[in-house]
Amino acid sequence: MTDADTTVQQLREAMQQFVAERQWERYHAPKNLVMGLAIETAELMEHFLWLDVEESRQRGNDPRHREAIADELADVCCYVLALANALQLDLSAAVEAKLEKNARKYPVERYRGRFEPD
Amino acid sequence: MTDADTTVQQLREAMQQFVAERQWERYHAPKNLVMGLAIETAELMEHFLWLDVEESRQRGNDPRHREAIADELADVCCYVLALANALQLDLSAAVEAKLEKNARKYPVERYRGRFEPD
Amino acid sequence: MTDADTTVQQLREAMQQFVAERQWERYHAPKNLVMGLAIETAELMEHFLWLDVEESRQRGNDPRHREAIADELADVCCYVLALANALQLDLSAAVEAKLEKNARKYPVERYRGRFEPD
Amino acid sequence: MTDADTTVQQLREAMQQFVAERQWERYHAPKNLVMGLAIETAELMEHFLWLDVEESRQRGNDPRHREAIADELADVCCYVLALANALQLDLSAAVEAKLEKNARKYPVERYRGRFEPD
């Protein structure tokens, strides 16, 4: 599976199948899953904790760290997929709506290269 | 866009375009993005803070809350996509590898319906 | 040291001395320390991830888990103390002000036993 | 109340009284409180999200931001105190034990000015 040829739905189904095979749906309540997401996010964070912002870019390119970083990002992703499944929410529609909302909130001409309005 | 007909790559490109139009790449270092992910995860968490685990399922189905929950989940998703873009990591490949790894770690026959091995 | 006979200042100084001996002040910028706090909070969270809210109380009383939980809570505390030191903020004054603010926000007669106003 | 003349126990009692007056003990299970701690930590994090590490020090000294930062740090503190109360754990003893443990883990002569051993 690669991002270019995998739909979000296919990823969600792969996650769903993993959970269903183990009958873990009863643990997959939103409250638990969002805690799991926070825990995995923290594990990803550990890779960058004491680094300067610029160093964190280099760390992301360092072959000695990339695999471990990808591993943590995958854990984060799995919880996002599990949340979408548990909540029966469409991630693509939600992201599309959010980007449209943010496009109005941060118009290009005022926010180019900055977070504070021009 | 819906999960059934949107590839992960298409979502990543939508996010990338949003960032590029605003020339925000310089802010999108992994250290910043993972902090952003933690912040949005916490905002999603707020919806379930004082609820029991079972109540959190009902909250997820409550039409008065679903839109706000979807909105927060979208923010989480956007940061995951931005991280994948900044780190140039393939989410689908990472998730597939993770599920295979976890399938070996949690064999179905020993973990069905439980987190502790049988 | 016990809570009954230790001032907050004494805890802060113990932390400060630990950091100074190792000349770690240069790493102790607020951005790093708050990430460290998030990471340790997540490690504390792990103890309660798949438990029901009520079960989490029992876990906290379970002698097999109490030491590990105390260990994680101590890590959280150390980061709070380090943040107070790095930011030169008085924790006791801040907590006192916050409790007064929250007492006005949540008057006893309207919030007794509930989070939603009566 | 100031850190120099306030014991940890006094802070814990102030928090306990606030909770007891509102009969909120039933919400104060460890699982909920650690989620609250994560949420408040994220709100503190927001102040430093897009800043460089060095800029985060300046932000901490900026009078326009200090009050809001102190406010968020107080929220973090309140949850730590509430957790100590709910779990009946002594924070000072836990911090003392942790600093002793870390002093053995990071001996001064090998870790002075660095996180990697000399």
Side-chain angles (χ1 to χ4, degrees):
Chain A
M1 299 172 99
T2 70
D3 288 344
D5 62 16
T6 307
T7 64
V8 179
Q9 187 58 35
Q10 285 174 302
L11 279 190
R12 288 179 61 165
E13 282 165 8
M15 185 68 207
Q16 183 53 40
Q17 190 190 330
F18 181 88
V19 172
E21 283 169 358
R22 284 158 191 79
Q23 301 175 357
W24 281 357
E25 292 91 344
R26 61 167 149 159
Y27 298 112
H28 276 220
K31 180 158 179 151
N32 292 347
L33 293 173
V34 73
M35 282 182 80
L37 176 59
I39 290 167
E40 297 303 337
T41 297
E43 293 187 5
L44 182 57
M45 218 179 245
E46 270 193 78
H47 287 275
F48 309 107
L49 173 54
W50 300 112
L51 303 181
D52 210 344
V53 171
E54 208 43 47
E55 291 169 332
S56 79
R57 292 188 208 265
Q58 295 155 26
R59 176 62 52 98
N61 291 324
D62 186 332
R64 288 169 304 173
H65 292 275
R66 272 183 81 75
E67 199 178 341
I69 290 170
D71 200 62
E72 299 298 356
L73 187 56
D75 277 327
V76 165
C77 244
C78 286
Y79 274 103
V80 172
L81 297 167
L83 272 162
N85 288 338
L87 293 163
Q88 295 179 274
L89 286 171
D90 191 284
L91 292 173
S92 305
V95 166
E96 187 180 33
K98 171 63 66 170
L99 289 178
E100 284 170 6
K101 188 174 161 183
N102 279 350
R104 288 190 298 274
K105 189 173 169 187
Y106 303 105
V108 167
E109 58 277 15
R110 298 188 70 207
Y111 284 89
R112 192 176 288 117
R114 57 195 305 173
F115 279 134
E116 305 297 322
D118 194 14
Chain B
M1 300 171 99
T2 69
D3 288 344
D5 62 16
T6 307
T7 65
V8 179
Q9 187 58 35
Q10 285 174 302
L11 280 191
R12 288 180 59 165
E13 283 165 8
M15 185 67 208
Q16 183 53 41
Q17 191 190 330
F18 181 88
V19 172
E21 283 169 357
R22 285 157 190 79
Q23 301 175 359
W24 282 357
E25 291 91 344
R26 61 166 148 159
Y27 297 112
H28 276 217
K31 181 159 178 149
N32 292 347
L33 293 174
V34 72
M35 281 183 81
L37 176 59
I39 290 167
E40 298 304 336
T41 297
E43 293 187 6
L44 181 57
M45 218 180 247
E46 270 193 76
H47 287 274
F48 308 106
L49 173 54
W50 300 112
L51 304 182
D52 209 344
V53 170
E54 208 43 47
E55 290 169 333
S56 80
R57 292 187 208 265
Q58 295 155 25
R59 176 63 52 99
N61 291 325
D62 186 332
R64 290 168 301 173
H65 292 275
R66 273 182 80 77
E67 198 177 340
I69 289 170
D71 201 62
E72 299 299 355
L73 187 56
D75 278 327
V76 165
C77 244
C78 286
Y79 274 103
V80 172
L81 297 167
L83 272 163
N85 288 338
L87 293 163
Q88 295 179 274
L89 286 171
D90 192 281
L91 292 173
S92 305
V95 166
E96 187 180 33
K98 171 64 66 173
L99 289 179
E100 284 170 6
K101 189 174 161 183
N102 279 349
R104 287 190 298 274
K105 191 173 169 187
Y106 303 105
V108 166
E109 58 277 14
R110 298 188 69 205
Y111 284 90
R112 191 175 290 118
R114 57 198 301 173
F115 278 135
E116 305 297 322
D118 196 15
Chain C
M1 300 172 97
T2 69
D3 288 344
D5 63 16
T6 306
T7 65
V8 179
Q9 187 58 34
Q10 285 174 303
L11 279 190
R12 288 180 59 165
E13 282 165 8
M15 185 68 207
Q16 183 53 40
Q17 191 190 329
F18 181 88
V19 172
E21 284 170 357
R22 285 158 191 79
Q23 300 175 359
W24 283 356
E25 291 90 345
R26 62 166 147 157
Y27 298 112
H28 276 218
K31 179 157 178 150
N32 292 348
L33 292 174
V34 72
M35 282 183 81
L37 176 58
I39 290 167
E40 297 304 337
T41 297
E43 293 187 6
L44 182 57
M45 217 179 248
E46 270 192 78
H47 287 275
F48 309 107
L49 173 55
W50 300 112
L51 303 182
D52 210 344
V53 170
E54 208 43 47
E55 290 169 333
S56 80
R57 293 188 208 265
Q58 295 156 25
R59 176 62 53 98
N61 291 324
D62 186 333
R64 289 168 303 172
H65 292 275
R66 271 181 83 74
E67 199 178 340
I69 289 170
D71 201 63
E72 298 299 356
L73 187 56
D75 278 327
V76 166
C77 243
C78 285
Y79 275 103
V80 173
L81 297 167
L83 272 163
N85 288 338
L87 293 163
Q88 295 180 274
L89 286 171
D90 192 282
L91 292 174
S92 304
V95 166
E96 186 180 33
K98 170 64 65 172
L99 289 179
E100 284 170 5
K101 188 174 161 183
N102 279 349
R104 288 190 297 274
K105 190 173 169 188
Y106 303 105
V108 167
E109 57 277 13
R110 298 188 69 206
Y111 284 90
R112 192 175 288 118
R114 56 196 305 174
F115 279 133
E116 304 297 322
D118 195 14
Chain D
M1 299 172 98
T2 70
D3 288 344
D5 63 14
T6 306
T7 64
V8 179
Q9 187 58 35
Q10 285 174 303
L11 280 190
R12 288 180 59 165
E13 283 166 8
M15 184 68 207
Q16 183 53 40
Q17 190 190 329
F18 181 88
V19 172
E21 283 170 359
R22 285 158 190 79
Q23 301 175 358
W24 282 357
E25 292 90 344
R26 63 168 148 158
Y27 298 113
H28 277 218
K31 180 158 180 151
N32 292 347
L33 293 174
V34 72
M35 282 183 81
L37 176 58
I39 290 167
E40 297 303 336
T41 296
E43 293 187 7
L44 182 57
M45 218 179 245
E46 270 192 77
H47 288 275
F48 308 108
L49 173 54
W50 299 113
L51 304 181
D52 209 345
V53 170
E54 208 43 46
E55 291 169 330
S56 79
R57 292 187 208 266
Q58 295 156 26
R59 176 63 53 98
N61 290 325
D62 186 333
R64 290 168 301 173
H65 292 275
R66 271 182 82 73
E67 200 178 339
I69 289 170
D71 201 63
E72 299 298 355
L73 187 56
D75 277 328
V76 165
C77 244
C78 285
Y79 274 104
V80 172
L81 296 167
L83 272 162
N85 288 338
L87 292 163
Q88 295 180 275
L89 286 171
D90 192 282
L91 292 174
S92 306
V95 166
E96 186 180 34
K98 170 63 65 171
L99 289 179
E100 285 170 5
K101 188 175 161 184
N102 279 349
R104 288 190 298 274
K105 189 173 169 187
Y106 303 105
V108 167
E109 58 276 13
R110 299 188 69 205
Y111 284 90
R112 192 176 287 117
R114 57 196 302 173
F115 279 135
E116 304 298 320
D118 194 16

